[in-house]
């Protein structure tokens, strides 16, 4: 049996790939970073700026802000400008669900975007659908067409990306083939990672 760690009884950190988020380095031998997320309305620029500052002053090294639609993604520019004006340069992360257009806007503004592969392209309709291998590959190609523009923007702007899966938002397509399983979560992320790798984008 192949183990995921050299020892089951002694801690040993896995040396992962280094990721650059603005001026912050994550992974590999760098310290574990502290990230938090705002709870304000992203369209309320002043409230979001003030809460972000409180997070930074409490020790956050990354601050994630929700951007559920294009208007919130666009407002990230005002938030970032105001933070920089006040002397705060902590990297910002846009949290994206359901709206690829918002991700493409945010990736030109903030240092990192987080996408959920379960709802970035696929829609969860709570239907059990059977796919032939050919149909499944057609769906993968549809994901490639929708996700590749974001990958290319991130590559151009030096924006990092987090592909964040969770079992509560696995797509019907993944659920139909893998069920609500750990391997389903892994494959959901790997589909997106393979596309990124095919574009020689590795800042993930």
């Amino acid at each position: 049996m192949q183990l995921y760690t050299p020892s089951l009884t002694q801690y040993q950190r896995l040396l992962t790939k280094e990721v650059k988020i603005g001026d912050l380095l994550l992974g590999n031998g760098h310290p574990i970073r502290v990230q938090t997320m705002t709870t304000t309305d992203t369209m309320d620029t002043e409230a979001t700026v003030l809460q972000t500052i409180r997070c930074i002053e409490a020790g956050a090294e990354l601050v994630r802000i929700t951007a559920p639609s294009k208007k919130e993604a666009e407002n990230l520019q005002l938030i970032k400008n105001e933070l920089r004006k006040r002397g705060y340069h902590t990297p910002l992360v846009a949290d994206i669900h359901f709206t690829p257009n918002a991700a493409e806007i945010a990736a030109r503004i903030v240092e990192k975007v987080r996408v959920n592969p379960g709802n970035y392209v696929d829609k969860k309709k709570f239907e059990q659908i059977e796919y032939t291998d050919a149909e499944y590959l057609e769906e993968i190609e549809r994901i490639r067409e929708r996700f590749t523009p974001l990958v290319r923007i991130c590559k151009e702007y030096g924006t990092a990306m987090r592909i964040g899966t969770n079992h509560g938002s696995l797509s019907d397509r993944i659920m139909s083939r893998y069920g609500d399983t750990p391997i389903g979560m892994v494959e959901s992320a790997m589909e997106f990672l393979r596309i990124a790798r095919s574009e020689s984008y590795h800042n993930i």
Side-chain angles (χ1 to χ4, degrees):
M1 181 178 69
Q2 183 178 1
L3 298 177
Y4 63 89
T5 180
S7 172
L8 296 177
T9 58
Q10 291 185 323
Y11 171 77
Q12 182 177 331
R13 186 176 174 187
L14 178 67
L15 290 181
T16 56
K17 188 180 185 305
E18 180 181 278
V19 174
K20 191 172 189 295
I21 309 166
D23 293 328
L24 186 73
L25 296 176
L26 176 73
N28 198 274
H30 300 289
I32 294 172
R33 302 301 185 182
V34 177
Q35 176 183 271
T36 191
M37 186 169 181
T38 59
T39 59
T40 53
D41 179 351
T42 305
M43 294 306 296
D44 188 336
T45 303
E46 182 65 12
T48 304
V49 166
L50 290 175
Q51 190 173 97
T52 300
I53 290 172
R54 289 198 298 274
C55 292
I56 294 167
E57 292 181 345
E61 297 171 279
L62 292 158
V63 179
R64 184 157 48 123
I65 302 171
T66 187
S69 74
K70 291 170 63 176
K71 65 178 183 178
E72 285 90 357
E74 289 165 352
N75 203 55
L76 291 171
Q77 187 68 70
L78 295 179
I79 293 167
K80 182 177 179 178
N81 290 347
E82 189 59 33
L83 286 165
R84 300 299 181 261
K85 189 188 301 182
R86 300 186 193 191
Y88 294 91
H89 298 274
T90 298
L92 302 178
V93 184
D95 193 59
I96 305 293
H97 289 272
F98 303 106
T99 316
N101 290 341
E104 292 167 15
I105 292 168
R108 294 177 167 95
I109 298 170
V110 297
E111 288 78 14
K112 181 178 176 181
V113 292
R114 182 264 179 163
V115 297
N116 185 336
N119 57 38
Y120 189 80
V121 177
D122 291 324
K123 302 301 181 188
K124 192 170 183 65
K125 300 177 181 177
F126 301 101
E127 296 174 352
Q128 190 73 15
I129 303 172
E130 293 294 329
Y131 289 87
T132 66
D133 288 345
E135 289 169 336
Y136 201 92
L137 289 175
E138 286 177 8
E139 290 297 299
I140 297 297
E141 190 56 35
R142 186 172 63 86
I143 292 169
R144 178 182 298 278
E145 290 174 3
R146 198 66 194 89
F147 182 56
T148 296
L150 175 63
V151 172
R152 291 176 178 171
I153 291 167
C154 287
K155 189 175 177 181
E156 177 184 354
Y157 283 78
T159 306
M161 184 188 300
R162 172 187 164 200
I163 298 174
T165 63
N166 59 67
H167 80 91
S169 60
L170 292 178
S171 68
D172 285 346
R173 180 178 51 78
I174 288 287
M175 291 283 285
S176 71
R177 179 152 294 195
Y178 298 98
D180 187 4
T181 63
I183 192 65
M185 290 180 63
V186 170
E187 185 57 27
S188 182
M190 289 303 298
E191 289 175 351
F192 279 60
L193 284 168
R194 292 183 194 109
I195 295 167
R197 175 168 284 188
S198 73
E199 293 289 325
S200 299
Y201 173 72
H202 308 289
N203 202 29
I204 301 176

